[in-house]
Amino acid sequence: MTKEILFEGLNKNQKRAVAHSGGPLLIIAGAGTGKTTVITRRIAYLIKKKLAKPSEILALTFTDKAAGEMEERVDQLVPYGFVDTWISTFNAFGDRILREFAIDLGLPINFKVLSETEQAILMRENLYSFDLKYFRPLANPTSHIEALLKHFSRLKDELITPKEYLDFVENHNYENNEEKEKALELAHAYEHYQDLMIQSGNLDYGDQIYLTYRLLKENKKVLADCQARFKYILVDEFQDTNYAQYQLVKFLADEKANITVVGDDDQSIYRFRGASISNILSFKDDYKDCTQIVLNQNYRSVQEILDASYKLIQHNNPDRLEVKNKIDKKLFSNQKGQAPELLHCETLSCEADQVAAKIEEFKATGQYEYKDFAILARANSHLEPFIQALNIKRIPSIFVGASSLFAREEIKMLISFLKCLVYPDDNLAFFSLATGEIYNCDVHMLSYYYALAKRQNRNFTEMFSSDKQPDKKIEEILADIQKYREKLSKNYRAGELLYEYLKEKNYFKTLTEQATIEAEIKISNIAKFFERIYQFDHISNEKTVHAFLNNLELIMEVGDEVVSSDIDPDLDAVNMMTVHAAKGLEWPIVFIVNMVTERFPTRRRQDALPIPQELIKEKLPEGDFHL
């Protein structure tokens, strides 16, 4: 590995960043300015110069995809066998430390880390062990579970302990008794939630940072060990860190402060997940002797797009690094191209039709495949008219997001099958299953019977069982329901039962033989649905089909986690997702849709259960930082 290879193809500022020897370094890297290249070359430079052994370098980022890409690039740059560098996500790093020092925290070594869906199921199963009056309404006892879990997560982002929260509430002057009672109920619920998790040998994602910080703060020996272990620390996407993550990094960096942070305040879009914009805005205040390098040569976009973006982001002044640190962040590119085009429509359906027509138009040139297009919106629900418009034109599309998963026909069909086994009176589930692609029953015939069943207050099973000349397909459905209903008594789990059913009906075989993009999408969606069932089985005490269906609404509500692995770059279909889910991805042609007042951006909404302002430790920017 020669010096020439390390600096090959880099511009002047990139070279400066790679060769920075020691001390705090702030790299302000605009979109598409090659920050991953700079970080990986910097790691390789530190190893080549013998400033640190690979095991003494800690690089932290936010997604498994980014960590994997970084590791792969470092592997190509350094001599064989040198990749024992700690390159991981914040959560994976916390997990590794917690497992190493579990005994010091009184944790079981084999603790489980629960997803948001699993947390919700655990809390639902233990809901009556919480002393709740205001947050467990009689009409719908589980309605506040998601809000409570989000509240607990935010408290951990701010490193607020249950004791600190309780002490604050007990000593704070509230306007009336009811407000105080509500606050006390929340504080006690947080305390009980933490006890419940630890006692059951479980942690959540927030704990991986929160408990690691506590471990380092309370155990001087472990802190000294970790500080000695990591000579150099690099943090990617620094604008997305929350208060707890930054405090953890500061602990590890110690006085030697060999800390490199790479970020861009203009790309901070994760406030709703607890990201603290103040971290990057105050880095220079925290590290007075920090070196600051700005990367503003863009390698991804054309100048016309960069100019439009720069003009727009000026509305965030004066709470921007460009103003605060008196620097020039205007991006420049050597590529020229088409300016962003505005499609103005009177109605949403007109806009959806125009987008579909544009995709057809571009595709007809022969220069693009369907996977070269992306449609991005502020929220999943805003994409529904566009899915319909693409379906009408038979344009394949894939919608990334858990809420969209449950809206897919193939998933609705599987849920309907489970409901038919458990709820004999659910005529709607029977209708959905019968008209699904496994049985393909005549819709008109079933609609007639559905109306008749409703009028006579009967269920389909009863009605068709007494029919002297039943339809062959209906006979098949009734036989299948009877057969698999018998398996319920043998305690089959939802996943086992569904897999056996789909195998028997040759559904997977049929999809594989079709060899179409739509069939590939269906197989991918069914795999994701089985993953949701596995998460339920992983945490629930009762693993029956009944229990799964009882928790289904909660799983659909809470499990809207989008991970980059949900996005298959090889699938030739138009990608549809939220702007947040698209961060860090790129396509030749992108449509940003439904840009209507108070939809994009939406109205500023505070959390359903906000943290008291006095307990928030991060410095909040002035003005409406939501915009």
Side-chain angles (χ1 to χ4, degrees):
M1 178 184 62
T2 63
K3 188 179 174 185
E4 287 68 39
I5 290 170
L6 276 183
F7 292 111
E8 189 183 338
L10 299 186
N11 62 45
K12 189 177 81 173
N13 282 357
Q14 287 176 325
K15 286 176 185 172
R16 275 184 62 215
V18 167
H20 177 77
S21 55
L25 171 65
L26 169 61
I27 303 172
I28 301 160
T33 54
K35 66 182 176 58
T36 308
T37 301
V38 168
I39 296 171
T40 50
R41 301 265 186 112
R42 175 149 176 72
I43 293 169
Y45 178 85
L46 294 172
I47 295 167
K48 180 185 182 296
K49 285 287 186 181
K50 295 187 169 51
L51 293 167
K53 295 174 191 167
S55 59
E56 294 172 330
I57 299 169
L58 171 65
L60 297 168
T61 186
F62 279 85
T63 64
D64 292 324
K65 183 173 177 276
E69 187 184 337
M70 211 181 283
E71 201 162 23
E72 198 179 306
R73 291 208 208 175
V74 171
D75 189 26
Q76 291 165 357
L77 288 167
V78 300
Y80 182 75
F82 265 69
V83 195
D84 50 351
T85 310
W86 286 52
I87 299 174
S88 75
T89 63
F90 270 96
N91 289 80
F93 168 73
D95 192 78
R96 193 167 163 183
I97 294 291
L98 289 178
R99 289 189 195 279
E100 190 176 333
F101 298 103
I103 294 164
D104 297 271
L105 269 170
L107 294 172
I109 293 168
N110 61 342
F111 64 78
K112 291 185 289 192
V113 180
L114 305 187
S115 68
E116 289 174 22
T117 304
E118 291 166 332
Q119 286 169 252
I121 293 164
L122 180 75
M123 191 164 175
R124 181 191 175 126
E125 291 195 344
N126 292 277
L127 193 59
Y128 288 91
S129 71
F130 286 79
D131 186 16
L132 299 175
K133 175 179 149 192
Y134 295 100
F135 300 103
R136 194 181 59 216
L138 286 172
N140 188 357
T142 61
S143 59
H144 292 305
I145 287 178
E146 189 179 4
L148 286 165
L149 289 173
K150 193 174 178 185
H151 186 62
F152 303 155
S153 175
R154 289 285 181 269
L155 289 163
K156 289 175 191 178
D157 289 347
E158 291 289 331
L159 297 175
I160 298 163
T161 65
K163 185 183 181 306
E164 190 182 346
Y165 195 17
L166 209 48
D167 287 349
F168 170 80
V169 172
E170 283 170 348
N171 297 309
H172 187 69
N173 289 323
Y174 287 88
E175 285 183 22
N176 54 57
N177 274 346
E178 189 179 317
E179 287 300 309
K180 180 140 193 152
E181 279 177 23
K182 277 185 179 177
L184 273 170
E185 190 172 295
L186 277 178
H188 283 299
Y190 179 42
E191 184 179 47
H192 181 61
Y193 170 77
Q194 280 303 96
D195 290 343
L196 177 70
M197 291 287 278
I198 301 293
Q199 283 161 17
S200 58
N202 295 313
L203 302 184
D204 59 33
Y205 294 131
D207 286 325
Q208 291 177 310
I209 308 300
Y210 168 78
L211 291 179
T212 305
Y213 174 85
R214 258 187 56 196
L215 171 72
L216 298 182
K217 187 179 182 185
E218 293 166 13
N219 192 318
K220 300 299 175 198
K221 185 182 177 303
V222 174
L223 176 62
D225 177 43
C226 288
Q227 286 174 338
R229 187 183 302 186
F230 304 116
K231 282 190 180 174
Y232 284 84
I233 297 168
L234 301 95
V235 183
D236 188 18
E237 302 285 8
F238 186 60
Q239 76 282 347
D240 294 337
T241 54
N242 59 38
Y243 178 81
Q245 288 162 336
Y246 186 28
Q247 296 310 305
L248 178 63
V249 167
K250 282 203 274 193
F251 252 160
L252 292 169
D254 193 24
E255 290 167 5
K256 59 182 180 292
N258 285 327
I259 175 172
T260 298
V261 300
V262 185
D264 176 19
D265 57 311
D266 293 337
Q267 293 179 66
S268 177
I269 61 168
Y270 289 130
R271 174 70 207 163
F272 72 103
R273 283 190 201 163
S276 170
I277 182 69
S278 64
N279 290 349
I280 194 163
L281 292 172
S282 62
F283 187 79
K284 273 189 85 174
D285 298 331
D286 295 337
Y287 295 95
K288 305 290 184 197
D289 57 342
C290 135
T291 301
Q292 178 177 269
I293 297 171
V294 181
L295 304 182
N296 47 11
Q297 182 170 350
N298 177 286
Y299 296 94
R300 183 185 294 156
S301 302
V302 296
Q303 191 63 49
E304 288 78 359
I305 288 176
L306 300 178
D307 290 344
S309 305
Y310 186 72
K311 186 178 176 185
L312 189 63
I313 205 71
Q314 298 300 301
H315 293 287
N316 279 5
N317 290 338
D319 283 309
R320 290 178 61 244
L321 276 173
E322 187 165 40
V323 175
K324 195 170 179 290
N325 290 8
K326 298 181 177 63
I327 53 176
D328 178 12
K329 285 181 61 190
K330 194 172 193 307
L331 298 176
F332 66 90
S333 168
N334 293 328
Q335 303 174 69
K336 295 279 183 187
Q338 189 181 334
E341 186 181 340
L342 176 64
L343 301 178
H344 184 269
C345 307
E346 290 296 325
T347 65
L348 189 54
S349 58
C350 163
E351 183 185 340
D353 291 341
Q354 272 211 42
V355 168
K358 276 275 180 191
I359 291 172
E360 269 192 331
E361 190 186 309
F362 280 117
K363 182 79 169 59
T365 64
Q367 295 175 47
Y368 303 101
E369 294 178 89
Y370 287 122
K371 64 183 179 184
D372 292 332
F373 300 89
I375 301 176
L376 312 180
R378 176 63 183 81
N380 280 326
S381 58
H382 296 174
L383 287 164
E384 283 162 19
F386 298 88
I387 295 171
Q388 290 164 13
L390 294 185
N391 285 344
I392 289 166
K393 289 187 178 287
R394 305 189 72 77
I395 296 172
S397 66
I398 186 153
F399 189 176
V400 178
S403 58
S404 60
L405 177 68
F406 295 101
R408 292 283 308 191
E409 289 305 319
E410 60 274 18
I411 305 304
K412 285 200 278 193
M413 180 180 71
L414 299 186
I415 292 169
S416 295
F417 172 69
L418 294 177
K419 283 182 175 178
C420 284
L421 304 184
V422 175
Y423 312 127
D425 293 334
D426 194 335
N427 286 346
L428 198 58
F430 191 101
F431 185 93
S432 179
L433 176 66
T435 54
E437 61 185 320
I438 286 179
Y439 301 105
N440 271 314
C441 287
D442 181 62
V443 176
H444 299 295
M445 179 266 290
L446 268 171
S447 297
Y448 164 76
Y449 278 112
Y450 184 75
L452 191 65
K454 205 170 180 183
R455 207 160 50 242
Q456 296 178 357
N457 199 22
R458 297 169 74 192
N459 66 61
F460 269 150
T461 313
E462 176 196 336
M463 182 185 282
F464 287 126
S465 298
S466 60
D467 196 336
K468 290 187 174 61
Q469 290 179 305
D471 181 278
K472 291 287 181 201
K473 286 180 180 175
I474 297 292
E475 268 190 321
E476 185 187 346
I477 297 169
L478 293 175
D480 286 340
I481 289 172
Q482 186 55 39
K483 177 183 175 180
Y484 283 94
R485 201 171 271 163
E486 284 165 15
K487 291 179 188 285
L488 289 180
S489 59
K490 296 174 185 168
N491 286 330
Y492 268 62
R493 296 181 183 185
E496 294 169 329
L497 208 127
L498 273 179
Y499 182 75
E500 201 172 299
Y501 169 69
L502 290 172
K503 201 173 171 190
E504 189 195 331
K505 305 313 284 184
N506 286 321
Y507 188 62
F508 292 130
K509 188 170 180 276
T510 306
L511 288 178
T512 310
E513 284 170 355
Q514 283 174 11
T516 62
I517 294 159
E518 189 56 36
E520 271 187 70
I521 292 169
K522 283 175 185 173
I523 292 167
S524 168
N525 286 332
I526 291 168
K528 287 175 199 169
F529 183 58
F530 272 95
E531 178 58 33
R532 296 293 189 280
I533 297 172
Y534 168 75
Q535 286 182 345
F536 169 77
D537 289 343
H538 181 235
I539 196 63
S540 179
N541 294 323
E542 196 187 342
K543 304 178 196 305
T544 62
V545 176
H546 290 76
F548 176 70
L549 288 175
N550 278 341
N551 281 280
L552 185 61
E553 202 175 315
L554 192 64
I555 292 166
M556 289 164 75
E557 243 176 65
V558 179
D560 204 9
E561 302 137 282
V562 176
V563 287
S564 51
S565 59
D566 283 346
I567 298 154
D568 184 350
D570 299 321
L571 204 58
D572 191 24
V574 175
N575 292 274
M576 305 180 83
M577 66 194 79
T578 64
V579 169
H580 290 95
K583 177 125 191 250
L585 303 173
E586 49 189 87
W587 297 271
I589 297 174
V590 177
F591 295 89
I592 306 172
V593 298
N594 212 334
M595 298 193 75
V596 179
T597 304
E598 298 197 339
R599 278 201 175 171
F600 199 150
T602 53
R603 277 187 204 167
R604 184 180 178 183
R605 285 181 303 183
Q606 64 173 24
D607 290 338
L609 301 171
I611 298 174
Q613 200 73 25
E614 297 90 336
L615 282 173
I616 294 177
K617 299 182 175 90
E618 64 165 301
K619 299 171 197 160
L620 297 172
E622 292 170 20
D624 187 358
F625 54 85
H626 163 78
L627 286 172

